Amino acid sequence: GFTDTTSTDVDCIAYYGITKGTTATTYEPASNIPRWQMALYLTRFATAAGVTLGSGADQGFTDISGYSAAIQTAINQLKQLGVTTGTTATTYSPGDDVTREQMAMFINRLLALTLPGPGGNSDATSIYIVGNAADSYNYTDIDGGSVTFEGHNSIVEIYQLGITGDAYTVRAFNPSSAITRASMATWVANALA
């Protein structure tokens, strides 16, 4: 029902209740995602994937008090799950835009808590991802000093799982750029798949 996008990824995350759009009829795919909004996306994603959320009790972030109870709960639940540690021990920086590197780490940490299969149900006893070491990733901009060790590994892992949706010809990941709502939809839909 969004008039500003025809993305099936947006349709997917709307279907699962992960997004509600910016209005009843708009999604704003080119807009960036602030950290408070990402918390809502990821807790809804966790629920859709069968992950049990914590209570949302106060986790010591001193900079989230001006936000709604639903947002504060989502941020605290992400901390309880270990999906975020905050920007410092006592701050979450809810108004800051989420970078692509940060989003890779959030998705990777959340997937580590998620059982394989629809809703966390799988007939398989084990799932193995087997890849060719030579094809581990094609990004040329994640080996510099600005990308953290965990960020690098998370970027490689989500690439290998097909979460970014990038073809092997894509060479730039742009780790310090803010992630857009369109990219977020693609990553979340692919992670759910």
Side-chain angles (χ1 to χ4, degrees):
F2 297 126
T3 59
D4 59 349
T5 182
T6 58
S7 167
T8 57
D9 294 330
V10 173
D11 290 342
C12 174
I13 66 171
Y15 175 82
Y16 284 101
I18 295 167
T19 187
K20 297 175 184 187
T22 53
T23 70
T25 59
T26 58
Y27 181 74
E28 295 183 15
S31 294
N32 298 336
I33 299 191
R35 290 172 59 90
W36 68 263
Q37 196 171 70
M38 179 274 311
L40 293 170
Y41 271 79
L42 290 183
T43 53
R44 293 171 187 156
F45 165 48
T47 300
V51 174
T52 302
L53 297 173
S55 66
D58 186 353
Q59 297 296 299
F61 292 129
T62 60
D63 60 348
I64 65 173
S65 62
Y67 290 83
S68 72
I71 292 168
Q72 290 182 51
T73 297
I75 292 167
N76 287 321
Q77 287 171 325
L78 288 183
K79 171 78 183 222
Q80 288 172 317
L81 288 173
V83 172
T84 188
T85 55
T87 51
T88 71
T90 59
T91 59
Y92 179 76
S93 304
D96 290 358
D97 287 339
V98 179
T99 68
R100 292 171 56 85
E101 177 185 1
Q102 290 169 344
M103 195 65 223
M105 291 187 291
F106 294 141
I107 292 277
N108 200 40
R109 291 172 189 160
L110 186 53
L111 284 177
L113 303 170
T114 307
L115 295 174
N121 299 310
S122 177
D123 294 346
T125 56
S126 298
I127 291 186
Y128 297 97
I129 306 294
V130 179
N132 181 342
D135 296 330
S136 64
Y137 64 96
N138 294 311
Y139 303 123
T140 58
D141 60 349
I142 66 170
D143 294 320
S146 65
V147 177
T148 65
F149 180 78
E150 182 189 4
H152 180 276
N153 289 343
S154 294
I155 292 164
V156 170
E157 289 172 15
I158 68 168
Y159 171 80
Q160 290 172 338
L161 291 170
I163 290 171
T164 63
D166 288 339
Y168 71 92
T169 54
V170 174
R171 300 291 184 209
F173 182 77
N174 301 310
S176 61
S177 296
I179 191 165
T180 64
R181 291 173 57 85
S183 292
M184 169 73 93
T186 297
W187 290 19
V188 171
N190 288 341
L192 279 172

